[in-house]
Amino acid sequence: MMKTENRLLDVKDLTIEIDTRSGPATIVDSIDLHVGKGETLGVVGESGCGKSLTMLSLMRLLPNKIRVAKGEAHFDDRDLQKMSNRELRKVRGGDIGFVFQDPMTSLNPVMRIGDQLAEPLIYHRGMSRKQARERAIELLRLVGIPGPEERIQAYPHELSGGMRQRVMIAIGLACEPKLLIADEPTTALDVTIQAQIIDLVKGLREKLGMSVVWITHDLALIAGLVDRVVVLYAGTVVEDAPVDELYANPRHPYTRGLLASIPKLSDAPASRLNSIGGTPPEPGRRPQGCPFAPRCPLAMDICRTHVPKLEPISAAGSHRAACFAVEKAREAA
Amino acid sequence: MSTVQAQPAPLAEEAPVSLWRDAWYRLKRNRLAIFGLCVIVLLAFVALFGPYLTPYDFLSQDLEARNQAPSLAHLFGTDDLGRDVFSRVVYGTRTAFLVAVVVTAIAIVIGTVLGAVAGFFGNPFDRVIMWLTDVTMSVPNLLLVVVINASLKTPIAQWMEARYLETLNPFYRETVWIDFLLVFGSMALISWPPYARLVRAQVLSIRSRPYITAAQALGLSNRIILTRYVIPNALGPLIVAVSAGLGTAMVLESAFSFLGVGVNPPTPSWGNMISDGLRVWQHYPHLLAAPAAVLGLASVAFSFLGDGLNDALNPRGAK
Ligand SMILES: Nc1ncnc2c1ncn2[C@@H]1O[C@H](COP(=O)(O)OP(=O)(O)OP(=O)(O)O)[C@@H](O)[C@H]1O
Ligand code: SF4
Ligand SMILES: [Mg+2]
C-alpha cells in the first residue's frame, strides 16, 4: 500500500447525510480515498452516486441540509474538516482548484470572465488588478482560448459551452493549485472537444506537477489520463485499482458492467449503462446488505444481509474490491 | 509558450456585446418601451426646468381671466382663480416626480435591506420580516395613509404654530415641508413590502446558484460574494420593479390628493388639480382633462418602460 507521507489528499471513513422528513439518510457511506502527490485519480460512478457531494464536502461547501456525519479529510497533513474558516479560505482556490460540473451555471453571468479569473489571483496571490489581468490573459491562452486579450472582456453568455468549460478550467488553475478537482468537466461537451480538454489537462499536469481528481461517469474517456481509478456505487467505494489493472482485470460485478457498457463511438450516450439492469437505490432506501445486490447477477444470500468490505485482491494490495463473490473466488483459488 | 496543443473550438458567431448593452439593444427594438422612455425623459426635463420656463407663475392669479378655455395665451386655459393651468400642470410634474422618486427611493432602501436580511440570514429574521411584510400588505393602503395624516398632521401643525408664536423663529412658520414629509413617509410606509419580497426571493434563489458555490470554492470573502456576485445578479428585476413603482407612486399620490390627504394646495399636484377639476368638469372640462391626461400619460409611459425592461433584461437566462 502507498505510504501515507506521499499522500496529498487522504480521506478516511467519510460519511455524508441528508436531513429528510423521515430523519437523516446516508448519501455517502464510509468512503476511503487518497491521492498521491503528482497522481491523477479517476472517480467513476453513475449519476447520483455521490461524486460531487464527496468533493464538495472536502471544501466544506455542502448545500443546506446535507452534512458530513463522520470521517476525516487530510490535505497536506492538515484536517480540512477542523481547519478554521480563515485557513480554509486559503486552501479553497489557492491549494485546491475546483472545476465545476456545469459550465453554463457555474460562471457569474454579470461579471466579465477576465474579472472572474482575476478575483482569486488578487486574493490568494496578492496581485494588483493590472498584474491579475495580464495573468488572466496568459491563463486563457494556456487553456487554448483564441484572442485572449479581447476575450477577457467577454461575459459568459458570449462564449460557447466548450469555451466556458475552458474558462472554468483556467479559473481552477489560476493559482497553480497542488490539487485540481475536476467534476465531470467534459460532460456538456461534444466528443472532439472532450478529447481536447483531456489533452489540455494532461499537458498542464506535467507542466505544473499537480495532482488531479477527475470525476466522470465515463470510464472509457479517462483511460489515457488517470493513474488509478476508484469506482463508486451508491455512495460506497466498490473497487479501487491502478487504471491498467482495472481494465485488464475488473473484479466487482458493477465495474464489469460499466466496462461492458462502454459505448462504441457510434452509440448515443444514453445507452451507456444498458447492460446493467435497474437503477441505483435512492438515499434512504439503501438495501441492508451489499448496495448493488438488487441489480447484481451474482448476488448470493449473504449479499442481502451483510455489507462486503473493501479488501485487497492482489498481494500488492493496490487492487481492492468490496464483493463477497470476489472474496469467495479468491479463497477458492 | 504553451506546450499544449489543443485545437481551439470554433466560437459561436456572436457580436461581443456586454450584458447591459445587449439589454439596451433589445430595449431599443421595443417601440412601446422607447415611447415610454421618451415621455419619461421629457417629463423629467419639464419637472427639472419647466417651472423656470413657463410664462406665468403657478400662483399668480388673474381675476380678469378666470375659467378661460385653452387659447394661445393660456395653452390649457385658466382655472377659477385665473391661474394658468399649463403652468400649474408643469409645476405639478415637479411635485409628481419629487413624490415618486423620494417615495420609491425610501421604499427601495427599506425593502432591500429587510429583504436581503430575510433572504440571506434566514430564520428567525426571515419569519419576523415576512410577518411584518404580510401585516403591512394586509392593511388597506388608503386607510393607513388617512389615519397617519389625520392623526399626525393637525397636532404637528398646531405644535409648530405654538413654537412660532413663542420664538418667532421663521423656521416654524413654513409648514409645507411637513405636508411633504407626511405624504412621503406614509406612502413609503405602504410601498416597501413588494420590494422586500422581491429582494428576498432574489437573494434566496441566487444564494443556491452554482456560481455562488464556485465563488466560495475560490476562497472569496462573503463581502465580495455579496457585492460582486449576489447583488449585481439581483439588480435586473429590481430595476424593472423600480420603473413600474415610480408610475404607481405618481398615481398613488394623485389618489391621496384626491382624497385630501396628499400634497396640499396651493402647491400644485396633478392629484389636487384633478380633484378641483372634477367639481366643475361639466362646465370647464379642460380643468379636469389637462392634469388627468398628463397623469395618464406618465403612468402609461412608466408601465411601458417597465414591461420593456422586463423583456430586455430577462431573456439572458433563457438563451
Ligand atoms: N442539494 C441537494 N439536495 C438534496 N439532495 C441532493 C442535493 N445534491 C445532491 N443530492 C442527492 O445526493 C446524491 C448524490 O449527489 P451527487 O451530486 O453527489 O451525485 P453525482 O455522483 O455527482 O451525480 P452526477 O453524475 O449526476 O453529477 C443524489 O442522490 C442526489 O439526489
Ligand atoms: S457482494 Fe454480492 S451483491 Fe454485492 S456485488 Fe458482490 S456478488 Fe453482487
Ligand atoms: Mg455531480
Side-chain angles (χ1 to χ4, degrees):
Chain A
M1 190 174 276
M2 213 174 179
K3 283 265 171 54
T4 318
E5 299 87 75
N6 288 331
R7 291 182 179 177
L8 181 65
L9 178 71
D10 197 355
V11 178
K12 286 211 182 82
D13 201 26
L14 181 74
T15 299
I16 299 176
E17 288 180 350
I18 179 167
D19 289 326
T20 64
R21 262 165 281 134
S22 47
T26 305
I27 297 181
V28 168
D29 192 4
S30 309
I31 278 187
D32 287 339
L33 277 181
H34 57 89
V35 184
K37 293 191 172 127
E39 189 186 32
T40 299
L41 177 72
V43 176
V44 184
E46 272 165 292
S47 187
C49 71
K51 306 181 293 291
S52 301
L53 290 183
T54 302
M55 295 307 149
L56 285 175
S57 78
L58 300 182
M59 312 273 262
R60 308 214 310 242
L61 287 173
L62 289 176
N64 254 347
K65 302 207 164 142
I66 301 182
R67 65 198 139 67
V68 171
K70 64 177 203 271
E72 286 169 30
H74 287 269
F75 177 77
D76 242 0
D77 293 326
R78 289 180 292 164
D79 191 337
L80 289 168
Q81 302 297 327
K82 298 212 176 91
M83 203 173 259
S84 71
N85 282 331
R86 215 189 157 82
E87 274 179 288
L88 186 68
R89 270 182 57 203
K90 295 222 176 78
V91 172
R92 291 176 178 172
D95 293 331
I96 302 182
F98 220 110
V99 179
F100 280 85
Q101 190 162 5
D102 185 358
M104 297 309 188
T105 57
S106 300
L107 291 168
N108 182 354
V110 300
M111 200 167 167
R112 296 175 195 276
I113 60 169
D115 292 333
Q116 303 197 42
L117 269 162
E119 219 55 77
L121 292 166
I122 292 167
Y123 172 67
H124 291 291
R125 294 287 174 265
M127 288 188 184
S128 68
R129 219 155 248 295
K130 192 159 167 291
Q131 288 171 316
R133 206 187 104 99
E134 309 269 286
R135 177 86 180 117
I137 294 173
E138 248 174 69
L139 282 162
L140 290 184
R141 189 173 292 128
L142 192 70
V143 296
I145 290 184
E149 292 84 359
E150 293 88 56
R151 285 288 149 190
I152 57 165
Q153 299 292 340
Y155 287 88
H157 77 279
E158 296 165 39
L159 303 179
S160 66
M163 283 297 136
R164 280 191 234 190
Q165 193 67 71
R166 284 162 199 252
V167 172
M168 299 276 305
I169 293 176
I171 292 175
L173 291 171
C175 298
E176 304 192 343
K178 296 176 186 158
L179 176 66
L180 181 74
I181 299 177
D183 190 354
E184 306 198 39
T186 61
T187 18
L189 309 178
D190 64 56
V191 181
T192 43
I193 299 172
Q194 283 186 355
Q196 285 171 25
I197 291 202
I198 296 228
D199 282 346
L200 173 75
V201 171
K202 266 202 232 171
L204 292 173
R205 179 185 60 186
E206 264 123 58
K207 228 173 127 204
L208 305 174
M210 64 184 175
S211 308
V212 178
V213 173
W214 191 280
I215 299 174
T216 182
H217 49 236
D218 189 347
L219 254 178
L221 185 72
I222 56 169
L225 175 74
V226 302
D227 303 314
R228 206 158 45 79
V229 178
V230 163
V231 182
L232 288 187
Y233 181 78
T236 58
V237 177
V238 295
E239 190 158 11
D240 171 5
V243 64
D244 298 334
E245 167 77 7
L246 191 85
Y247 277 90
N249 189 16
R251 304 306 298 271
H252 196 281
Y254 177 63
T255 317
R256 291 186 176 184
L258 278 183
L259 282 170
S261 61
I262 283 179
K264 314 286 172 294
L265 267 180
S266 55
D267 286 354
S271 68
R272 246 172 229 165
L273 287 169
N274 277 355
S275 67
I276 310 176
T279 52
E282 282 169 39
R285 297 231 192 114
R286 304 159 65 83
Q288 218 193 2
C290 171
F292 191 54
R295 298 167 74 187
C296 180
L298 304 178
M300 303 166 289
D301 285 344
I302 185 175
C303 305
R304 295 193 183 85
T305 50
H306 290 75
V307 182
K309 289 207 180 60
L310 193 63
E311 304 275 8
I313 289 166
S314 56
S318 59
H319 187 172
R320 299 185 296 168
C323 173
F324 291 122
V326 173
E327 248 174 78
K328 217 165 106 186
R330 201 186 53 214
E331 277 155 19
Chain B
M1 57 157 285
S2 166
T3 53
V4 180
Q5 293 299 316
Q7 282 295 306
L11 285 163
E13 285 303 318
E14 284 176 86
V17 286
S18 86
L19 201 72
W20 296 106
R21 252 192 296 163
D22 208 22
W24 171 234
Y25 175 73
R26 273 193 296 264
L27 188 69
K28 264 197 313 199
R29 286 185 309 182
N30 184 336
R31 293 238 178 88
L32 286 180
I34 288 303
F35 163 76
L37 186 64
C38 292
V39 169
I40 290 163
V41 168
L42 182 75
L43 286 175
F45 178 84
V46 168
L48 274 177
F49 304 110
Y52 308 110
L53 306 177
T54 51
Y56 306 90
D57 183 63
F58 67 92
L59 284 177
S60 78
Q61 306 178 1
D62 180 359
L63 297 179
E64 306 280 286
R66 293 164 54 187
N67 292 326
Q68 283 187 359
S71 65
L72 271 184
H74 298 283
L75 278 180
F76 291 172
T78 60
D79 66 6
D80 56 343
L81 298 171
R83 296 176 298 192
D84 180 45
V85 174
F86 179 73
S87 305
R88 290 181 62 76
V89 167
V90 164
Y91 200 92
T93 311
R94 171 174 280 194
T95 310
F97 267 81
L98 193 67
V99 172
V101 169
V102 173
V103 167
T104 309
I106 300 174
I108 283 172
V109 171
I110 300 176
T112 305
V113 170
L114 290 183
V117 167
F120 202 76
F121 295 105
N123 280 331
F125 299 97
D126 195 20
R127 194 165 298 152
V128 173
I129 291 171
M130 281 305 105
W131 175 81
L132 209 63
T133 311
D134 290 341
V135 168
T136 312
M137 285 181 97
S138 65
V139 175
N141 287 352
L142 289 174
L143 187 71
L144 195 68
V145 171
V146 170
V147 166
I148 290 175
N149 277 276
S151 58
L152 289 181
K153 200 174 213 159
T154 326
I156 292 181
Q158 282 169 350
W159 180 79
M160 294 277 288
E161 195 172 337
R163 295 293 299 164
Y164 174 65
L165 291 176
E166 211 172 287
T167 61
L168 290 182
N169 182 342
F171 169 80
Y172 293 110
R173 193 145 170 226
E174 186 59 66
T175 56
V176 172
W177 66 269
I178 296 188
D179 202 29
F180 276 87
L181 195 75
L182 280 175
V183 172
F184 290 163
S186 52
M187 281 178 65
L189 210 63
I190 57 171
S191 304
W192 63 266
Y195 297 110
R197 285 195 168 173
L198 179 74
V199 170
R200 172 179 176 270
Q202 282 292 110
V203 169
L204 277 180
S205 112
I206 289 169
R207 217 177 50 158
S208 63
R209 303 233 174 116
Y211 57 80
I212 299 298
T213 311
Q216 289 171 324
L218 284 175
L220 303 182
S221 65
N222 278 341
R223 190 178 56 83
I224 290 197
I225 291 176
L226 207 63
T227 54
R228 311 234 355 186
Y229 288 73
V230 177
I231 291 177
N233 277 292
L235 227 49
L238 201 60
I239 290 174
V240 174
V242 167
S243 171
L246 287 169
T248 313
M250 286 184 180
V251 174
L252 205 62
E253 188 281 321
S254 296
F256 290 163
S257 286
F258 179 70
L259 291 170
V261 290
V263 175
N264 271 358
T267 309
S269 91
W270 296 338
N272 59 36
M273 292 176 74
I274 289 174
S275 78
D276 289 347
L278 257 184
R279 267 180 264 138
V280 292
W281 72 271
Q282 286 99 331
H283 309 288
Y284 310 111
H286 66 275
L287 293 185
L288 174 61
V294 180
L295 171 64
L297 188 68
S299 129
V300 163
F302 276 110
S303 98
F304 282 168
L305 182 65
D307 283 350
L309 285 171
N310 197 16
D311 293 343
L313 286 167
N314 282 343
R316 73 163 189 250
K319 248 207 310 199

